[in-house]
Amino acid sequence: MAATYEVVTVNRAGGEHRRQYTAEDALSPGSVIRLDGRDWLVEALEDSRAIARPARYRLTLRHPDGHEEIGAMRRYRPDAPGIGHMFTTGDVSWQVVDEQLARDESGPYLEMVAERDFGEIEDLPNHELEHVEARREELPDAAQAVFERAETAGLELELVALEPGEAPDWAEAAKYIDALILEEIEDDLLEQCGVNPAQDPRETWLETVQDRLREDLRGFRDDIEGDHDEIEEWEFRDGRIFASIGSFEDESDPDSGHGWLCRLLDAGALAAAGFRRVRKAQVLLP
């Protein structure tokens, strides 16, 4: 039965937003809703008032003997795993069997638990990096250090990949940014790119977003072709994976590599360049 809630969120500038949201099913702490192009995690309910924070999730593997392996924190996206989701690590298959609201120093997140699935599942091709689950011990030491650093600092991890033999098509990404129209840009991306919809004239929004994305593309390219001060890179299964770590606030920071990657990914510019989000890569502790 549909229910209407007043959802309270805090934007990147620290301002409180109150919006009406109608859900097909009743919300509860731990529910994920999508508003203005962003996924939000319901932290608390007060009658018909829902308090929500930017949605994050983490995957934990629970082995038959009871010991657990904890994955990296990720931004929640529409393609995030959920109960029933199946994946592999090496030759072992898993299925997500539970999810619950949890908290760390940075706030609430969804803790998803997967257990061994002893049924038959179709093998995944190794070259399809965006579909592959990987155990952390399979990765180079430098990659393992990235995940440990993100976990220790309570930061989010974002990953993109290039398939074997593929090079970024920077010209196509630039053309994609030039061809953007305002109707394609979700409200959250507007704020990530520095637009204040409550104050800035609407006719300036598109130019502001495009200028920010062009600078992001330049910064991202210079960094991965240079010293990798902001973006980590390593080879994996004959392809290349690029990683950034950062906070929710970093997603709107013009000088943050995590911000570059998140904004370009959310806008679709990295996909135009040939990068694919590593959607299921919950790279786990050994």
Side-chain angles (χ1 to χ4, degrees):
M1 182 177 178
T4 299
Y5 297 85
E6 180 188 50
V7 179
V8 181
T9 62
V10 177
N11 68 12
R12 300 172 191 279
E16 188 175 276
H17 280 192
R18 297 173 181 267
R19 287 159 288 186
Q20 295 296 306
Y21 178 82
T22 299
E24 294 183 3
D25 300 309
L27 298 181
S28 61
S31 295
V32 176
I33 61 176
R34 191 163 182 82
L35 286 173
D36 300 332
R38 178 87 197 195
D39 293 297
W40 298 88
L41 177 61
V42 176
E43 180 178 18
L45 283 172
E46 301 170 359
D47 297 324
S48 61
R49 184 170 178 263
I51 311 300
R53 301 279 296 275
R56 305 178 298 149
Y57 70 97
R58 187 175 70 180
L59 184 64
T60 295
L61 299 188
R62 180 179 295 154
H63 290 261
D65 63 4
H67 87 273
E68 295 182 341
E69 299 179 64
I70 299 174
M73 194 71 69
R74 299 295 302 273
R75 292 194 303 159
Y76 193 96
R77 304 268 300 200
D79 57 5
I83 292 179
H85 171 76
M86 298 177 66
F87 59 94
T88 64
T89 57
D91 297 327
V92 179
S93 61
W94 303 85
Q95 185 171 21
V96 178
V97 297
D98 187 31
E99 63 179 32
Q100 55 187 330
L101 184 67
R103 289 178 174 81
D104 63 10
E105 294 179 355
S106 299
Y109 65 93
L110 274 182
E111 183 74 58
M112 299 183 184
V113 177
E115 295 182 346
R116 282 285 304 271
D117 175 60
F118 293 96
E120 296 181 358
I121 77 167
E122 182 180 354
D123 290 336
L124 297 174
N126 284 345
H127 70 278
E128 293 186 0
L129 294 177
E130 72 275 21
H131 293 292
V132 174
E133 297 283 346
R135 294 174 65 87
R136 188 176 294 183
E137 69 259 25
E138 298 179 52
L139 297 174
D141 290 344
Q144 297 183 37
V146 171
F147 293 98
E148 291 170 3
R149 179 153 46 94
E151 182 180 348
T152 300
L155 297 174
E156 298 168 9
L157 176 72
E158 196 65 72
L159 301 167
V160 294
L162 288 172
E163 297 294 349
E166 189 172 7
D169 191 337
W170 302 116
E172 191 62 28
K175 286 169 56 180
Y176 180 91
I177 293 171
D178 291 342
L180 279 173
I181 60 175
L182 193 57
E183 288 71 21
E184 296 173 330
I185 302 170
E186 295 185 324
D187 289 355
D188 189 59
L189 183 58
L190 288 174
E191 292 188 359
Q192 284 179 310
C193 291
V195 174
N196 186 335
Q199 297 181 6
D200 299 339
R202 183 178 177 85
E203 59 269 20
T204 68
W205 295 359
L206 179 59
E207 182 179 2
T208 299
V209 171
Q210 289 175 316
D211 287 347
R212 177 72 270 143
L213 293 175
R214 291 185 187 106
E215 285 299 306
D216 291 342
L217 187 65
R218 181 193 58 77
F220 182 80
R221 178 179 181 176
D222 288 350
D223 194 77
I224 68 172
E225 292 181 349
D227 295 332
H228 291 84
D229 292 330
E230 295 284 338
I231 306 296
E232 304 284 346
E233 176 185 350
W234 59 86
E235 294 183 357
F236 180 65
R237 297 178 182 173
D238 297 324
R240 298 159 66 193
I241 293 181
F242 304 84
S244 71
I245 58 175
S247 65
F248 172 66
E249 291 75 17
D250 290 330
E251 295 175 27
S252 57
D253 184 345
D255 299 319
S256 165
H258 187 65
W260 302 339
L261 195 156
C262 291
R263 290 188 293 270
L264 291 168
L265 188 60
D266 291 349
L270 285 187
F275 293 88
R276 294 172 175 83
R277 185 175 189 250
V278 185
R279 293 174 301 197
K280 300 176 183 177
Q282 304 301 318
V283 184
L284 303 168
L285 288 169

PDB file of all heavy atoms in Angstrom, residues 161-172 224-225 240 242 270 272-276:
ATOM      1  N   ALA A 161      36.926   0.375 -14.910  1.00  0.00           N
ATOM      2  CA  ALA A 161      37.860  -0.525 -15.576  1.00  0.00           C
ATOM      3  C   ALA A 161      37.881  -0.296 -17.068  1.00  0.00           C
ATOM      4  O   ALA A 161      36.895   0.159 -17.669  1.00  0.00           O
ATOM      5  CB  ALA A 161      37.474  -1.979 -15.284  1.00  0.00           C
ATOM      6  N   LEU A 162      39.019  -0.621 -17.653  1.00  0.00           N
ATOM      7  CA  LEU A 162      39.163  -0.722 -19.103  1.00  0.00           C
ATOM      8  C   LEU A 162      39.425  -2.182 -19.435  1.00  0.00           C
ATOM      9  O   LEU A 162      40.241  -2.841 -18.777  1.00  0.00           O
ATOM     10  CB  LEU A 162      40.328   0.133 -19.601  1.00  0.00           C
ATOM     11  CG  LEU A 162      40.140   1.651 -19.582  1.00  0.00           C
ATOM     12  CD1 LEU A 162      41.468   2.329 -19.931  1.00  0.00           C
ATOM     13  CD2 LEU A 162      39.056   2.092 -20.560  1.00  0.00           C
ATOM     14  N   GLU A 163      38.751  -2.691 -20.456  1.00  0.00           N
ATOM     15  CA  GLU A 163      38.941  -4.072 -20.859  1.00  0.00           C
ATOM     16  C   GLU A 163      40.316  -4.255 -21.494  1.00  0.00           C
ATOM     17  O   GLU A 163      40.961  -3.288 -21.917  1.00  0.00           O
ATOM     18  CB  GLU A 163      37.836  -4.473 -21.852  1.00  0.00           C
ATOM     19  CG  GLU A 163      36.426  -4.420 -21.273  1.00  0.00           C
ATOM     20  CD  GLU A 163      36.192  -5.438 -20.168  1.00  0.00           C
ATOM     21  OE1 GLU A 163      37.048  -6.323 -19.985  1.00  0.00           O
ATOM     22  OE2 GLU A 163      35.158  -5.343 -19.494  1.00  0.00           O
ATOM     23  N   PRO A 164      40.806  -5.493 -21.555  1.00  0.00           N
ATOM     24  CA  PRO A 164      42.124  -5.754 -22.140  1.00  0.00           C
ATOM     25  C   PRO A 164      42.262  -5.142 -23.528  1.00  0.00           C
ATOM     26  O   PRO A 164      41.401  -5.303 -24.391  1.00  0.00           O
ATOM     27  CB  PRO A 164      42.171  -7.287 -22.205  1.00  0.00           C
ATOM     28  CG  PRO A 164      41.294  -7.730 -21.084  1.00  0.00           C
ATOM     29  CD  PRO A 164      40.179  -6.730 -21.027  1.00  0.00           C
ATOM     30  N   GLY A 165      43.365  -4.425 -23.728  1.00  0.00           N
ATOM     31  CA  GLY A 165      43.659  -3.831 -25.022  1.00  0.00           C
ATOM     32  C   GLY A 165      42.905  -2.560 -25.338  1.00  0.00           C
ATOM     33  O   GLY A 165      43.111  -1.969 -26.407  1.00  0.00           O
ATOM     34  N   GLU A 166      42.041  -2.098 -24.424  1.00  0.00           N
ATOM     35  CA  GLU A 166      41.228  -0.917 -24.681  1.00  0.00           C
ATOM     36  C   GLU A 166      41.931   0.334 -24.151  1.00  0.00           C
ATOM     37  O   GLU A 166      42.472   0.334 -23.047  1.00  0.00           O
ATOM     38  CB  GLU A 166      39.858  -1.071 -24.020  1.00  0.00           C
ATOM     39  CG  GLU A 166      38.860  -0.011 -24.407  1.00  0.00           C
ATOM     40  CD  GLU A 166      37.467  -0.308 -23.873  1.00  0.00           C
ATOM     41  OE1 GLU A 166      37.322  -1.275 -23.091  1.00  0.00           O
ATOM     42  OE2 GLU A 166      36.532   0.419 -24.243  1.00  0.00           O
ATOM     43  N   ALA A 167      41.887   1.411 -24.934  1.00  0.00           N
ATOM     44  CA  ALA A 167      42.445   2.707 -24.516  1.00  0.00           C
ATOM     45  C   ALA A 167      41.309   3.704 -24.369  1.00  0.00           C
ATOM     46  O   ALA A 167      40.295   3.614 -25.069  1.00  0.00           O
ATOM     47  CB  ALA A 167      43.451   3.207 -25.553  1.00  0.00           C
ATOM     48  N   PRO A 168      41.426   4.672 -23.448  1.00  0.00           N
ATOM     49  CA  PRO A 168      40.352   5.655 -23.275  1.00  0.00           C
ATOM     50  C   PRO A 168      40.140   6.477 -24.544  1.00  0.00           C
ATOM     51  O   PRO A 168      41.101   6.888 -25.198  1.00  0.00           O
ATOM     52  CB  PRO A 168      40.866   6.541 -22.132  1.00  0.00           C
ATOM     53  CG  PRO A 168      41.924   5.747 -21.454  1.00  0.00           C
ATOM     54  CD  PRO A 168      42.547   4.895 -22.513  1.00  0.00           C
ATOM     55  N   ASP A 169      38.892   6.714 -24.880  1.00  0.00           N
ATOM     56  CA  ASP A 169      38.548   7.572 -26.020  1.00  0.00           C
ATOM     57  C   ASP A 169      38.216   8.954 -25.461  1.00  0.00           C
ATOM     58  O   ASP A 169      37.058   9.297 -25.238  1.00  0.00           O
ATOM     59  CB  ASP A 169      37.358   6.984 -26.788  1.00  0.00           C
ATOM     60  CG  ASP A 169      37.119   7.682 -28.118  1.00  0.00           C
ATOM     61  OD1 ASP A 169      37.545   8.851 -28.256  1.00  0.00           O
ATOM     62  OD2 ASP A 169      36.496   7.075 -29.011  1.00  0.00           O
ATOM     63  N   TRP A 170      39.258   9.745 -25.211  1.00  0.00           N
ATOM     64  CA  TRP A 170      39.065  11.055 -24.588  1.00  0.00           C
ATOM     65  C   TRP A 170      38.250  11.995 -25.477  1.00  0.00           C
ATOM     66  O   TRP A 170      37.451  12.790 -24.969  1.00  0.00           O
ATOM     67  CB  TRP A 170      40.416  11.681 -24.276  1.00  0.00           C
ATOM     68  CG  TRP A 170      41.284  10.850 -23.389  1.00  0.00           C
ATOM     69  CD1 TRP A 170      42.486  10.287 -23.706  1.00  0.00           C
ATOM     70  CD2 TRP A 170      41.019  10.468 -22.031  1.00  0.00           C
ATOM     71  NE1 TRP A 170      42.990   9.585 -22.636  1.00  0.00           N
ATOM     72  CE2 TRP A 170      42.119   9.674 -21.586  1.00  0.00           C
ATOM     73  CE3 TRP A 170      39.965  10.706 -21.144  1.00  0.00           C
ATOM     74  CZ2 TRP A 170      42.198   9.137 -20.312  1.00  0.00           C
ATOM     75  CZ3 TRP A 170      40.033  10.169 -19.858  1.00  0.00           C
ATOM     76  CH2 TRP A 170      41.138   9.401 -19.463  1.00  0.00           C
ATOM     77  N   ALA A 171      38.443  11.911 -26.786  1.00  0.00           N
ATOM     78  CA  ALA A 171      37.695  12.779 -27.696  1.00  0.00           C
ATOM     79  C   ALA A 171      36.199  12.490 -27.618  1.00  0.00           C
ATOM     80  O   ALA A 171      35.378  13.414 -27.642  1.00  0.00           O
ATOM     81  CB  ALA A 171      38.201  12.592 -29.132  1.00  0.00           C
ATOM     82  N   GLU A 172      35.841  11.222 -27.500  1.00  0.00           N
ATOM     83  CA  GLU A 172      34.426  10.857 -27.405  1.00  0.00           C
ATOM     84  C   GLU A 172      33.834  11.360 -26.088  1.00  0.00           C
ATOM     85  O   GLU A 172      32.682  11.805 -26.044  1.00  0.00           O
ATOM     86  CB  GLU A 172      34.265   9.349 -27.507  1.00  0.00           C
ATOM     87  CG  GLU A 172      32.828   8.875 -27.677  1.00  0.00           C
ATOM     88  CD  GLU A 172      32.167   9.368 -28.949  1.00  0.00           C
ATOM     89  OE1 GLU A 172      32.877   9.606 -29.942  1.00  0.00           O
ATOM     90  OE2 GLU A 172      30.920   9.531 -28.937  1.00  0.00           O
ATOM     91  N   ILE A 224      45.967  10.067 -14.568  1.00  0.00           N
ATOM     92  CA  ILE A 224      46.229   8.659 -14.878  1.00  0.00           C
ATOM     93  C   ILE A 224      47.320   8.509 -15.938  1.00  0.00           C
ATOM     94  O   ILE A 224      47.915   7.432 -16.065  1.00  0.00           O
ATOM     95  CB  ILE A 224      44.950   7.905 -15.308  1.00  0.00           C
ATOM     96  CG1 ILE A 224      44.430   8.385 -16.655  1.00  0.00           C
ATOM     97  CG2 ILE A 224      43.885   8.016 -14.233  1.00  0.00           C
ATOM     98  CD1 ILE A 224      43.294   7.517 -17.186  1.00  0.00           C
ATOM     99  N   GLU A 225      47.573   9.584 -16.697  1.00  0.00           N
ATOM    100  CA  GLU A 225      48.688   9.545 -17.640  1.00  0.00           C
ATOM    101  C   GLU A 225      49.967  10.099 -17.033  1.00  0.00           C
ATOM    102  O   GLU A 225      51.017  10.082 -17.676  1.00  0.00           O
ATOM    103  CB  GLU A 225      48.333  10.338 -18.904  1.00  0.00           C
ATOM    104  CG  GLU A 225      47.230   9.691 -19.735  1.00  0.00           C
ATOM    105  CD  GLU A 225      46.901  10.472 -20.998  1.00  0.00           C
ATOM    106  OE1 GLU A 225      47.372  11.625 -21.125  1.00  0.00           O
ATOM    107  OE2 GLU A 225      46.155   9.937 -21.848  1.00  0.00           O
ATOM    108  N   ARG A 240      42.756  -3.072 -16.983  1.00  0.00           N
ATOM    109  CA  ARG A 240      43.237  -2.028 -16.082  1.00  0.00           C
ATOM    110  C   ARG A 240      42.075  -1.541 -15.222  1.00  0.00           C
ATOM    111  O   ARG A 240      40.975  -1.308 -15.717  1.00  0.00           O
ATOM    112  CB  ARG A 240      43.816  -0.854 -16.871  1.00  0.00           C
ATOM    113  CG  ARG A 240      45.018  -1.206 -17.718  1.00  0.00           C
ATOM    114  CD  ARG A 240      45.228  -0.200 -18.824  1.00  0.00           C
ATOM    115  NE  ARG A 240      45.598   1.116 -18.304  1.00  0.00           N
ATOM    116  CZ  ARG A 240      45.585   2.229 -19.041  1.00  0.00           C
ATOM    117  NH1 ARG A 240      45.201   2.197 -20.308  1.00  0.00           N
ATOM    118  NH2 ARG A 240      45.938   3.377 -18.498  1.00  0.00           N
ATOM    119  N   PHE A 242      40.949   1.379 -12.253  1.00  0.00           N
ATOM    120  CA  PHE A 242      41.266   2.681 -11.676  1.00  0.00           C
ATOM    121  C   PHE A 242      40.376   2.880 -10.453  1.00  0.00           C
ATOM    122  O   PHE A 242      39.177   2.569 -10.486  1.00  0.00           O
ATOM    123  CB  PHE A 242      41.012   3.783 -12.706  1.00  0.00           C
ATOM    124  CG  PHE A 242      41.766   3.594 -13.991  1.00  0.00           C
ATOM    125  CD1 PHE A 242      41.255   2.775 -14.983  1.00  0.00           C
ATOM    126  CD2 PHE A 242      42.995   4.203 -14.202  1.00  0.00           C
ATOM    127  CE1 PHE A 242      41.950   2.569 -16.167  1.00  0.00           C
ATOM    128  CE2 PHE A 242      43.693   4.017 -15.376  1.00  0.00           C
ATOM    129  CZ  PHE A 242      43.168   3.189 -16.365  1.00  0.00           C
ATOM    130  N   LEU A 270      32.569   9.024 -18.514  1.00  0.00           N
ATOM    131  CA  LEU A 270      33.547   7.945 -18.497  1.00  0.00           C
ATOM    132  C   LEU A 270      33.076   6.756 -19.322  1.00  0.00           C
ATOM    133  O   LEU A 270      33.883   6.082 -19.976  1.00  0.00           O
ATOM    134  CB  LEU A 270      33.836   7.511 -17.063  1.00  0.00           C
ATOM    135  CG  LEU A 270      34.723   8.446 -16.238  1.00  0.00           C
ATOM    136  CD1 LEU A 270      35.071   7.812 -14.899  1.00  0.00           C
ATOM    137  CD2 LEU A 270      36.003   8.808 -16.982  1.00  0.00           C
ATOM    138  N   ALA A 272      31.330   7.012 -21.996  1.00  0.00           N
ATOM    139  CA  ALA A 272      31.584   7.426 -23.378  1.00  0.00           C
ATOM    140  C   ALA A 272      33.044   7.221 -23.752  1.00  0.00           C
ATOM    141  O   ALA A 272      33.370   6.948 -24.918  1.00  0.00           O
ATOM    142  CB  ALA A 272      31.186   8.886 -23.567  1.00  0.00           C
ATOM    143  N   ALA A 273      33.938   7.345 -22.776  1.00  0.00           N
ATOM    144  CA  ALA A 273      35.366   7.158 -23.025  1.00  0.00           C
ATOM    145  C   ALA A 273      35.779   5.693 -23.036  1.00  0.00           C
ATOM    146  O   ALA A 273      36.927   5.385 -23.348  1.00  0.00           O
ATOM    147  CB  ALA A 273      36.181   7.908 -21.979  1.00  0.00           C
ATOM    148  N   GLY A 274      34.857   4.789 -22.678  1.00  0.00           N
ATOM    149  CA  GLY A 274      35.157   3.362 -22.687  1.00  0.00           C
ATOM    150  C   GLY A 274      35.377   2.734 -21.334  1.00  0.00           C
ATOM    151  O   GLY A 274      35.638   1.536 -21.236  1.00  0.00           O
ATOM    152  N   PHE A 275      35.273   3.533 -20.255  1.00  0.00           N
ATOM    153  CA  PHE A 275      35.412   2.985 -18.910  1.00  0.00           C
ATOM    154  C   PHE A 275      34.099   2.334 -18.479  1.00  0.00           C
ATOM    155  O   PHE A 275      33.019   2.816 -18.818  1.00  0.00           O
ATOM    156  CB  PHE A 275      35.768   4.085 -17.906  1.00  0.00           C
ATOM    157  CG  PHE A 275      37.127   4.690 -18.114  1.00  0.00           C
ATOM    158  CD1 PHE A 275      37.302   5.767 -18.971  1.00  0.00           C
ATOM    159  CD2 PHE A 275      38.233   4.184 -17.439  1.00  0.00           C
ATOM    160  CE1 PHE A 275      38.551   6.346 -19.152  1.00  0.00           C
ATOM    161  CE2 PHE A 275      39.491   4.759 -17.614  1.00  0.00           C
ATOM    162  CZ  PHE A 275      39.651   5.838 -18.482  1.00  0.00           C
ATOM    163  N   ARG A 276      34.227   1.272 -17.700  1.00  0.00           N
ATOM    164  CA  ARG A 276      33.051   0.606 -17.157  1.00  0.00           C
ATOM    165  C   ARG A 276      33.150   0.569 -15.641  1.00  0.00           C
ATOM    166  O   ARG A 276      34.215   0.280 -15.097  1.00  0.00           O
ATOM    167  CB  ARG A 276      32.929  -0.820 -17.695  1.00  0.00           C
ATOM    168  CG  ARG A 276      32.663  -0.877 -19.190  1.00  0.00           C
ATOM    169  CD  ARG A 276      32.754  -2.302 -19.709  1.00  0.00           C
ATOM    170  NE  ARG A 276      32.383  -2.373 -21.104  1.00  0.00           N
ATOM    171  CZ  ARG A 276      33.207  -2.108 -22.118  1.00  0.00           C
ATOM    172  NH1 ARG A 276      34.441  -1.733 -21.859  1.00  0.00           N
ATOM    173  NH2 ARG A 276      32.793  -2.213 -23.366  1.00  0.00           N
TER     174      ARG A 276
END
